[in-house]
Amino acid sequence: MTKIIDGKAVAKKVNTQTATAVAELAAQGIQPGIAVIIVGDDAASQIYVRNKNRKATKLGMHSVVRQLPATTTQDELLAIIAAYNTDDSIHGILVQSPLPSQINEPLITMAIDPKKDVDGFHPANVGKLITNFPGNYPVANTPRGIMTMLQEYDVDPAGKTAVVIGRSTIVGKPMAALLTNANATVTIAHSKTADLKAVARTADILVVATGIAHLITGADIKPGATVIDVGMDRDDNGKLVGDVDFDSAQGIAGLITPVPGGVGPMTIATLMQTTVELAKWSDVSE
């Protein structure tokens, strides 16, 4: 019998903890602050940013949304980031992707102060994650949220075989690093992997983050495996589906995240959690 991982329930628990942490900081005269910068009018980005702002405000944080026109130049965006880097009321800075073609996204990532890099994408923070560096630093929120879900459902990666399908810097690579740091034996698979589905069948923990609807079916899953579906795709009827064929995985996977209601809620909850941590760490020098 396949058990469903309830991302909404885990996110609610994380948000409750975050609200408590916000109240504790408020008693010390600190209000965690997050600035989200969005360039252009991408519809999906507008929804994401609105949800982030609503959640931050609900949790008692100082939330700023900076909406910029699609014609914004790279220098203009860099100047805004520089201002937030020195703004003591802002502890986390997020620049929403995608960015217009005239802007170099890696350069923008580099411009954010690593101590305010709420997305965990700055090379300094990625390097710390890869080397399992001790201390406090932000980690990409979707992979971190997945690790929280695994913990909540008593899935210990230690000694297990994990396969991460997808090698993005947003999910795949940091996910593989977190699982490696948790003592799993990790394979990163992708579009060039020979016999991808055979590799998937080796996984005790299978994380799929490709953006390809129903890439993985029940036949590609090891019986009893924990399956984490990061996909947010649309089928031919416009229905929201994942990278994993949820129906055919039933009765084969031991645990599985649904789409929607799995990884998605955890990403925003973890972003809020990270913002509060950055506020706590703001006076601590590494």
Side-chain angles (χ1 to χ4, degrees), residues 71-80 101-105 107-108:
T71 54
T72 300
T73 67
Q74 183 167 281
D75 286 345
E76 287 170 337
L77 180 54
L78 287 170
I80 290 168
S101 59
Q102 74 271 16
I103 296 175
N104 182 324
E105 194 153 345
L107 184 64
I108 297 304

Side-chain angles (χ1 to χ4, degrees), residues 134-219:
N136 300 321
Y137 48 89
V139 172
N141 292 296
T142 297
R144 185 184 175 191
I146 290 169
M147 295 300 288
T148 300
M149 286 194 295
L150 293 178
Q151 183 178 13
E152 283 294 316
Y153 280 80
D154 297 319
V155 178
D156 183 359
K160 292 186 172 64
T161 297
V163 174
V164 179
I165 305 179
R167 51 182 167 177
S168 73
T169 56
I170 297 172
V171 179
K173 289 177 180 176
M175 187 77 250
L178 284 168
L179 288 166
T180 299
N181 293 347
N183 299 314
T185 300
V186 182
T187 297
I188 300 179
H190 44 77
S191 60
K192 302 298 183 184
T193 299
D195 204 351
L196 176 62
K197 293 177 180 290
V199 173
R201 284 192 292 272
T202 68
D204 301 310
I205 300 172
L206 179 63
V207 181
V208 191
T210 65
I212 302 172
H214 293 172
L215 173 68
I216 296 299
T217 68

Side-chain angles (χ1 to χ4, degrees), residues 5-171:
I5 296 175
D6 189 344
K8 289 182 179 179
V10 182
K12 184 176 180 180
K13 181 176 180 179
V14 172
N15 285 329
T16 299
Q17 295 167 345
T18 297
T20 299
V22 169
E24 291 171 351
L25 285 171
Q28 303 170 38
I30 301 170
Q31 184 182 30
I34 181 171
V36 179
I37 305 169
I38 179 169
V39 185
D41 301 311
D42 180 79
S45 293
Q46 295 286 345
I47 294 170
Y48 295 150
V49 169
R50 187 161 58 247
N51 289 341
K52 291 167 186 172
N53 180 57
R54 186 182 297 122
K55 181 59 68 176
T57 302
K58 184 176 181 179
L59 291 171
M61 299 185 197
H62 170 49
S63 179
V64 175
V65 175
R66 188 72 175 267
Q67 173 73 58
L68 302 174
T71 54
T72 300
T73 67
Q74 183 167 281
D75 286 345
E76 287 170 337
L77 180 54
L78 287 170
I80 290 168
I81 292 170
Y84 284 133
N85 279 341
T86 58
D87 185 341
D88 291 340
S89 73
I90 298 298
H91 302 98
I93 301 169
L94 185 157
V95 179
Q96 183 68 42
S97 292
L99 291 171
S101 59
Q102 74 271 16
I103 296 175
N104 182 324
E105 194 153 345
L107 184 64
I108 297 304
T109 300
M110 287 286 291
I112 297 172
D113 183 341
K115 292 183 181 179
K116 295 190 176 188
D117 170 34
V118 72
D119 264 336
F121 295 162
H122 193 287
N125 292 321
V126 174
K128 288 180 177 180
L129 171 62
I130 296 295
T131 58
N132 203 13
F133 193 81
N136 300 321
Y137 48 89
V139 172
N141 292 296
T142 297
R144 185 184 175 191
I146 290 169
M147 295 300 288
T148 300
M149 286 194 295
L150 293 178
Q151 183 178 13
E152 283 294 316
Y153 280 80
D154 297 319
V155 178
D156 183 359
K160 292 186 172 64
T161 297
V163 174
V164 179
I165 305 179
R167 51 182 167 177
S168 73
T169 56
I170 297 172
V171 179

Side-chain angles (χ1 to χ4, degrees), residues 222-264:
K222 181 179 180 179
T226 297
V227 179
I228 306 295
D229 189 350
V230 188
M232 294 284 282
D233 315 306
R234 297 283 177 181
D235 65 12
D236 293 338
N237 298 317
K239 179 185 176 183
L240 186 64
V241 297
D243 291 357
V244 178
D245 182 358
F246 186 83
D247 292 340
S248 68
Q250 298 301 304
I252 299 173
L255 288 162
I256 190 170
T257 56
V259 177
V263 173

